[in-house]
Amino acid sequence: MYIESVQLKNFRNYDSLELTFDKGTNIFYGNNAQGKTNILESLYLCGTTKSHRGSKDKEIVKFGEEEAHIRMMVNRNQINYKIDMHLRKNKAKGVAINGLPIKKASELFGVVNMVFFSPEDLNIIKNGPGERRRFLDMELCQLDKIYLKDLASYNHRNKLLKDMYVQPGLKGTLDIWDMQMVEYGRRIIEKRKRFVEELNEIIQNIHFNLTGGTENLRVIYEPSCPGQELEKTVSENRERDMRMKITSAGPHRDDLCMEVNGIDIRRYGSQGQ
């Protein structure tokens, strides 16, 4: 897969821009604050519907304009895809693949695979568990559409717990939602565990070589509840969950620990590390 070209209109600091890319390595260079990162952001946004900066659509549209447009041409396995994205200040974004509007971001996954490295990635370490779960989910959703479906289905129980506050009769359906949440949760936990194992196989040698053989990096998956204990934990916490109107245990509370030479760099790592 490679990106053939991108066209921008009213995106960040660009009135209009058209770029064609090489199949190999492409390098952008120039003075600061000229929009190099904005180009990369547009590609990531068009491939995932999310900004790596966490920006809202209205912040991306050029000052003085009401909407922006990105068009990205992708070649995947000798098949061409045209991805169009309209960003509006006061409306939801619109996305189309080969001229056909899509309703869910998941329809983009499998067309484009993105890995984005930027200074904002430090937030994976420096911020809370939510940032690290977001990293896990973004990578896995691009690799596995079933994971994406499981993740979306898993979250339904929380909505039910909130709805039960105004519709007590829904309590009768909680057994079914608990069973489904446990099933989806176990699959999510297992896939996250395998992903972290595979990630370690790749990054450990890379980091060891980058540091001249002085540092050993290891990522540790920290599930809030092991998959085999999820059903029991959900059952034990049910009364509390109903009072709090939120599910208190499960993969939505997982975390990742990053260790260098056995030291947790979430707490003790330097900026350079």
Side-chain angles (χ1 to χ4, degrees), residues 108-126:
L108 276 173
F109 297 142
V111 177
V112 187
N113 295 103
M114 296 278 189
V115 176
F116 197 107
F117 182 72
S118 73
E120 285 81 6
D121 287 341
L122 287 174
N123 293 331
I124 296 173
I125 307 293
K126 296 166 72 173

PDB file of all heavy atoms in Angstrom, residues 108-126:
ATOM      1  N   LEU A 108     -12.907   2.746   6.684  1.00  0.00           N
ATOM      2  CA  LEU A 108     -11.602   3.153   6.150  1.00  0.00           C
ATOM      3  C   LEU A 108     -10.516   2.135   6.474  1.00  0.00           C
ATOM      4  O   LEU A 108      -9.544   1.997   5.731  1.00  0.00           O
ATOM      5  CB  LEU A 108     -11.189   4.505   6.743  1.00  0.00           C
ATOM      6  CG  LEU A 108     -11.736   5.765   6.086  1.00  0.00           C
ATOM      7  CD1 LEU A 108     -11.345   6.977   6.912  1.00  0.00           C
ATOM      8  CD2 LEU A 108     -11.213   5.909   4.662  1.00  0.00           C
ATOM      9  N   PHE A 109     -10.663   1.455   7.605  1.00  0.00           N
ATOM     10  CA  PHE A 109      -9.640   0.508   8.014  1.00  0.00           C
ATOM     11  C   PHE A 109      -9.588  -0.649   7.024  1.00  0.00           C
ATOM     12  O   PHE A 109     -10.603  -1.219   6.652  1.00  0.00           O
ATOM     13  CB  PHE A 109      -9.920  -0.011   9.427  1.00  0.00           C
ATOM     14  CG  PHE A 109      -9.876   1.069  10.466  1.00  0.00           C
ATOM     15  CD1 PHE A 109     -10.770   1.071  11.518  1.00  0.00           C
ATOM     16  CD2 PHE A 109      -8.945   2.084  10.400  1.00  0.00           C
ATOM     17  CE1 PHE A 109     -10.732   2.071  12.489  1.00  0.00           C
ATOM     18  CE2 PHE A 109      -8.901   3.085  11.353  1.00  0.00           C
ATOM     19  CZ  PHE A 109      -9.787   3.075  12.393  1.00  0.00           C
ATOM     20  N   GLY A 110      -8.399  -1.006   6.626  1.00  0.00           N
ATOM     21  CA  GLY A 110      -8.226  -2.010   5.589  1.00  0.00           C
ATOM     22  C   GLY A 110      -7.932  -1.390   4.245  1.00  0.00           C
ATOM     23  O   GLY A 110      -7.394  -2.041   3.357  1.00  0.00           O
ATOM     24  N   VAL A 111      -8.292  -0.110   4.073  1.00  0.00           N
ATOM     25  CA  VAL A 111      -7.925   0.623   2.860  1.00  0.00           C
ATOM     26  C   VAL A 111      -6.566   1.295   3.059  1.00  0.00           C
ATOM     27  O   VAL A 111      -5.684   1.226   2.210  1.00  0.00           O
ATOM     28  CB  VAL A 111      -8.989   1.689   2.507  1.00  0.00           C
ATOM     29  CG1 VAL A 111      -8.554   2.498   1.293  1.00  0.00           C
ATOM     30  CG2 VAL A 111     -10.326   1.025   2.242  1.00  0.00           C
ATOM     31  N   VAL A 112      -6.412   1.944   4.224  1.00  0.00           N
ATOM     32  CA  VAL A 112      -5.170   2.641   4.542  1.00  0.00           C
ATOM     33  C   VAL A 112      -4.676   2.184   5.913  1.00  0.00           C
ATOM     34  O   VAL A 112      -5.462   2.070   6.848  1.00  0.00           O
ATOM     35  CB  VAL A 112      -5.378   4.173   4.585  1.00  0.00           C
ATOM     36  CG1 VAL A 112      -4.046   4.883   4.749  1.00  0.00           C
ATOM     37  CG2 VAL A 112      -6.096   4.657   3.343  1.00  0.00           C
ATOM     38  N   ASN A 113      -3.383   1.907   6.003  1.00  0.00           N
ATOM     39  CA  ASN A 113      -2.759   1.617   7.291  1.00  0.00           C
ATOM     40  C   ASN A 113      -1.763   2.727   7.602  1.00  0.00           C
ATOM     41  O   ASN A 113      -0.909   3.037   6.787  1.00  0.00           O
ATOM     42  CB  ASN A 113      -2.043   0.263   7.274  1.00  0.00           C
ATOM     43  CG  ASN A 113      -3.011  -0.889   7.083  1.00  0.00           C
ATOM     44  OD1 ASN A 113      -3.111  -1.442   6.009  1.00  0.00           O
ATOM     45  ND2 ASN A 113      -3.734  -1.233   8.124  1.00  0.00           N
ATOM     46  N   MET A 114      -1.915   3.328   8.784  1.00  0.00           N
ATOM     47  CA  MET A 114      -1.094   4.478   9.153  1.00  0.00           C
ATOM     48  C   MET A 114      -0.326   4.214  10.443  1.00  0.00           C
ATOM     49  O   MET A 114      -0.884   3.687  11.407  1.00  0.00           O
ATOM     50  CB  MET A 114      -1.979   5.713   9.375  1.00  0.00           C
ATOM     51  CG  MET A 114      -2.716   6.187   8.146  1.00  0.00           C
ATOM     52  SD  MET A 114      -1.637   7.191   7.128  1.00  0.00           S
ATOM     53  CE  MET A 114      -2.825   7.826   5.939  1.00  0.00           C
ATOM     54  N   VAL A 115       0.948   4.603  10.443  1.00  0.00           N
ATOM     55  CA  VAL A 115       1.743   4.689  11.670  1.00  0.00           C
ATOM     56  C   VAL A 115       2.302   6.103  11.700  1.00  0.00           C
ATOM     57  O   VAL A 115       3.014   6.510  10.780  1.00  0.00           O
ATOM     58  CB  VAL A 115       2.888   3.667  11.699  1.00  0.00           C
ATOM     59  CG1 VAL A 115       3.737   3.865  12.955  1.00  0.00           C
ATOM     60  CG2 VAL A 115       2.339   2.247  11.649  1.00  0.00           C
ATOM     61  N   PHE A 116       1.951   6.854  12.743  1.00  0.00           N
ATOM     62  CA  PHE A 116       2.347   8.259  12.823  1.00  0.00           C
ATOM     63  C   PHE A 116       3.220   8.445  14.052  1.00  0.00           C
ATOM     64  O   PHE A 116       2.822   8.114  15.168  1.00  0.00           O
ATOM     65  CB  PHE A 116       1.092   9.136  12.939  1.00  0.00           C
ATOM     66  CG  PHE A 116       1.328  10.589  12.634  1.00  0.00           C
ATOM     67  CD1 PHE A 116       0.873  11.147  11.453  1.00  0.00           C
ATOM     68  CD2 PHE A 116       2.006  11.400  13.524  1.00  0.00           C
ATOM     69  CE1 PHE A 116       1.084  12.490  11.168  1.00  0.00           C
ATOM     70  CE2 PHE A 116       2.227  12.737  13.258  1.00  0.00           C
ATOM     71  CZ  PHE A 116       1.770  13.282  12.073  1.00  0.00           C
ATOM     72  N   PHE A 117       4.413   8.979  13.849  1.00  0.00           N
ATOM     73  CA  PHE A 117       5.307   9.271  14.966  1.00  0.00           C
ATOM     74  C   PHE A 117       5.515  10.767  15.045  1.00  0.00           C
ATOM     75  O   PHE A 117       5.913  11.400  14.070  1.00  0.00           O
ATOM     76  CB  PHE A 117       6.653   8.566  14.776  1.00  0.00           C
ATOM     77  CG  PHE A 117       7.600   8.784  15.926  1.00  0.00           C
ATOM     78  CD1 PHE A 117       7.382   8.168  17.143  1.00  0.00           C
ATOM     79  CD2 PHE A 117       8.690   9.620  15.791  1.00  0.00           C
ATOM     80  CE1 PHE A 117       8.238   8.372  18.209  1.00  0.00           C
ATOM     81  CE2 PHE A 117       9.558   9.836  16.850  1.00  0.00           C
ATOM     82  CZ  PHE A 117       9.326   9.215  18.071  1.00  0.00           C
ATOM     83  N   SER A 118       5.219  11.344  16.208  1.00  0.00           N
ATOM     84  CA  SER A 118       5.328  12.789  16.367  1.00  0.00           C
ATOM     85  C   SER A 118       5.644  13.108  17.824  1.00  0.00           C
ATOM     86  O   SER A 118       5.539  12.230  18.699  1.00  0.00           O
ATOM     87  CB  SER A 118       4.013  13.469  15.968  1.00  0.00           C
ATOM     88  OG  SER A 118       3.030  13.241  16.967  1.00  0.00           O
ATOM     89  N   PRO A 119       6.017  14.359  18.127  1.00  0.00           N
ATOM     90  CA  PRO A 119       6.274  14.722  19.531  1.00  0.00           C
ATOM     91  C   PRO A 119       5.078  14.452  20.438  1.00  0.00           C
ATOM     92  O   PRO A 119       5.251  14.189  21.627  1.00  0.00           O
ATOM     93  CB  PRO A 119       6.573  16.228  19.445  1.00  0.00           C
ATOM     94  CG  PRO A 119       7.127  16.423  18.070  1.00  0.00           C
ATOM     95  CD  PRO A 119       6.367  15.454  17.205  1.00  0.00           C
ATOM     96  N   GLU A 120       3.856  14.508  19.869  1.00  0.00           N
ATOM     97  CA  GLU A 120       2.666  14.246  20.686  1.00  0.00           C
ATOM     98  C   GLU A 120       2.635  12.811  21.209  1.00  0.00           C
ATOM     99  O   GLU A 120       1.921  12.515  22.176  1.00  0.00           O
ATOM    100  CB  GLU A 120       1.393  14.524  19.880  1.00  0.00           C
ATOM    101  CG  GLU A 120       1.076  15.997  19.675  1.00  0.00           C
ATOM    102  CD  GLU A 120       1.868  16.629  18.523  1.00  0.00           C
ATOM    103  OE1 GLU A 120       2.576  15.890  17.803  1.00  0.00           O
ATOM    104  OE2 GLU A 120       1.771  17.858  18.367  1.00  0.00           O
ATOM    105  N   ASP A 121       3.419  11.909  20.585  1.00  0.00           N
ATOM    106  CA  ASP A 121       3.436  10.523  21.041  1.00  0.00           C
ATOM    107  C   ASP A 121       4.006  10.383  22.445  1.00  0.00           C
ATOM    108  O   ASP A 121       3.810   9.346  23.101  1.00  0.00           O
ATOM    109  CB  ASP A 121       4.241   9.647  20.070  1.00  0.00           C
ATOM    110  CG  ASP A 121       3.496   9.395  18.774  1.00  0.00           C
ATOM    111  OD1 ASP A 121       2.269   9.576  18.759  1.00  0.00           O
ATOM    112  OD2 ASP A 121       4.131   9.026  17.781  1.00  0.00           O
ATOM    113  N   LEU A 122       4.727  11.394  22.921  1.00  0.00           N
ATOM    114  CA  LEU A 122       5.190  11.369  24.305  1.00  0.00           C
ATOM    115  C   LEU A 122       4.023  11.257  25.274  1.00  0.00           C
ATOM    116  O   LEU A 122       4.176  10.766  26.393  1.00  0.00           O
ATOM    117  CB  LEU A 122       6.001  12.631  24.622  1.00  0.00           C
ATOM    118  CG  LEU A 122       7.409  12.722  24.013  1.00  0.00           C
ATOM    119  CD1 LEU A 122       8.004  14.093  24.303  1.00  0.00           C
ATOM    120  CD2 LEU A 122       8.307  11.625  24.563  1.00  0.00           C
ATOM    121  N   ASN A 123       2.841  11.700  24.829  1.00  0.00           N
ATOM    122  CA  ASN A 123       1.664  11.630  25.693  1.00  0.00           C
ATOM    123  C   ASN A 123       1.268  10.195  26.012  1.00  0.00           C
ATOM    124  O   ASN A 123       0.591   9.941  27.008  1.00  0.00           O
ATOM    125  CB  ASN A 123       0.483  12.354  25.047  1.00  0.00           C
ATOM    126  CG  ASN A 123       0.702  13.852  24.953  1.00  0.00           C
ATOM    127  OD1 ASN A 123       1.410  14.429  25.774  1.00  0.00           O
ATOM    128  ND2 ASN A 123       0.113  14.483  23.958  1.00  0.00           N
ATOM    129  N   ILE A 124       1.682   9.251  25.159  1.00  0.00           N
ATOM    130  CA  ILE A 124       1.404   7.844  25.438  1.00  0.00           C
ATOM    131  C   ILE A 124       2.040   7.447  26.765  1.00  0.00           C
ATOM    132  O   ILE A 124       1.470   6.675  27.544  1.00  0.00           O
ATOM    133  CB  ILE A 124       1.928   6.942  24.293  1.00  0.00           C
ATOM    134  CG1 ILE A 124       1.184   7.260  22.995  1.00  0.00           C
ATOM    135  CG2 ILE A 124       1.773   5.465  24.642  1.00  0.00           C
ATOM    136  CD1 ILE A 124       1.754   6.538  21.783  1.00  0.00           C
ATOM    137  N   ILE A 125       3.206   7.990  27.040  1.00  0.00           N
ATOM    138  CA  ILE A 125       3.906   7.701  28.284  1.00  0.00           C
ATOM    139  C   ILE A 125       3.468   8.659  29.391  1.00  0.00           C
ATOM    140  O   ILE A 125       3.175   8.261  30.516  1.00  0.00           O
ATOM    141  CB  ILE A 125       5.436   7.819  28.100  1.00  0.00           C
ATOM    142  CG1 ILE A 125       5.902   6.973  26.915  1.00  0.00           C
ATOM    143  CG2 ILE A 125       6.159   7.422  29.386  1.00  0.00           C
ATOM    144  CD1 ILE A 125       5.762   5.500  27.114  1.00  0.00           C
ATOM    145  N   LYS A 126       3.413   9.945  29.053  1.00  0.00           N
ATOM    146  CA  LYS A 126       3.255  10.977  30.084  1.00  0.00           C
ATOM    147  C   LYS A 126       1.826  11.109  30.595  1.00  0.00           C
ATOM    148  O   LYS A 126       1.606  11.475  31.752  1.00  0.00           O
ATOM    149  CB  LYS A 126       3.738  12.324  29.540  1.00  0.00           C
ATOM    150  CG  LYS A 126       5.221  12.341  29.207  1.00  0.00           C
ATOM    151  CD  LYS A 126       5.615  13.533  28.377  1.00  0.00           C
ATOM    152  CE  LYS A 126       5.605  14.812  29.159  1.00  0.00           C
ATOM    153  NZ  LYS A 126       6.162  15.942  28.375  1.00  0.00           N
TER     154      LYS A 126
END
